[in-house]
Amino acid sequence: MFVPSFYREPDNSWMVDLIRSNPLALAVANGSAEDGPFATHLPVIFDPATAGEGTGELPGTTLLGHMNRANPHWAALRTGSVLLLTFTGPHSYVSPTVYEKTPAAPTWNFTAVHVRGVVEKIDSMEETLGVVQSTVRAFEGAFGNGWDMTGSLDYFRKIAPAVGAFRFQVTGAEGMFKLSQEQPGEVRERVQESFGQSACTYKRETAGLMSRLP
């Protein structure tokens, strides 16, 4: 991903926060000349077994993901192969009317993180079940209502053979936080104010990130 220097994240925590808040990744891998590349949307979490060992840097971090074993992408994955995970955060269209100046051009403010890493496919059904349970815990805590999965564990065991779980060792990461940094301060403030007053959730979330810029 090409990231101009003024769109780089102010702090590494921005990339980690974006992944935690927007955990539905697009996993992309090279395919054959006939099939082309594979791309699958899937939920991704930080491995709870190693989450406490991090330094704040994404490289070296372990992520966990899973997809349907019937997906041809799963059959194409090999342990030791390289995968790209892309995460998209708050984003929105910026109309030149907000700039209050001419000439001007419209643009799109957006946030994204691209993570490269090495795949380890999980063969054990117990470990696969563990990934599913860890994913439920992470997402119920962040986005759910504290649902207790205990009564559904037998059901989980029935569906686990159809689940392809994997570990993902991060080797590199790039974040792009395009939030009007190229504009003069007064213009950026007008964009932030316009987004913050919008009924659109994406715009309000984008305004929240703009308010955190140095």
Side-chain angles (χ1 to χ4, degrees), residues 73-148:
H73 194 167
W74 176 255
L77 280 182
R78 297 287 185 272
T79 291
S81 63
V82 175
L83 194 65
L84 173 70
L85 299 179
T86 71
F87 301 84
T88 303
H91 60 90
S92 193
Y93 175 71
V94 183
S95 170
T97 59
V98 180
Y99 294 157
E100 298 181 8
K101 68 174 185 176
T102 301
T107 190
W108 202 284
N109 277 2
F110 69 91
T111 56
V113 172
H114 287 195
V115 181
R116 299 176 305 282
V118 179
V119 172
E120 178 194 349
K121 295 177 76 170
I122 295 173
D123 296 322
S124 162
M125 281 298 101
E126 283 305 309
E127 286 187 88
T128 296
L129 184 62
V131 171
V132 173
Q133 291 178 277
S134 293
T135 303
V136 171
R137 291 189 193 98
F139 292 164
E140 275 297 318
F143 311 109
N145 299 307
W147 175 66
D148 184 352

Side-chain angles (χ1 to χ4, degrees), residues 19 22-28 39-44 84-88:
I19 292 173
N22 304 272
L24 185 67
L26 177 63
V28 182
T40 299
H41 294 275
L42 48 81
V44 173
L84 173 70
L85 299 179
T86 71
F87 301 84
T88 303

Side-chain angles (χ1 to χ4, degrees), residues 175-190:
M176 183 158 175
F177 292 81
K178 182 179 178 295
L179 300 169
S180 299
Q181 294 98 318
E182 80 284 2
Q183 296 292 340
E186 65 273 13
V187 174
R188 188 164 64 245
E189 289 176 7
R190 283 198 288 272

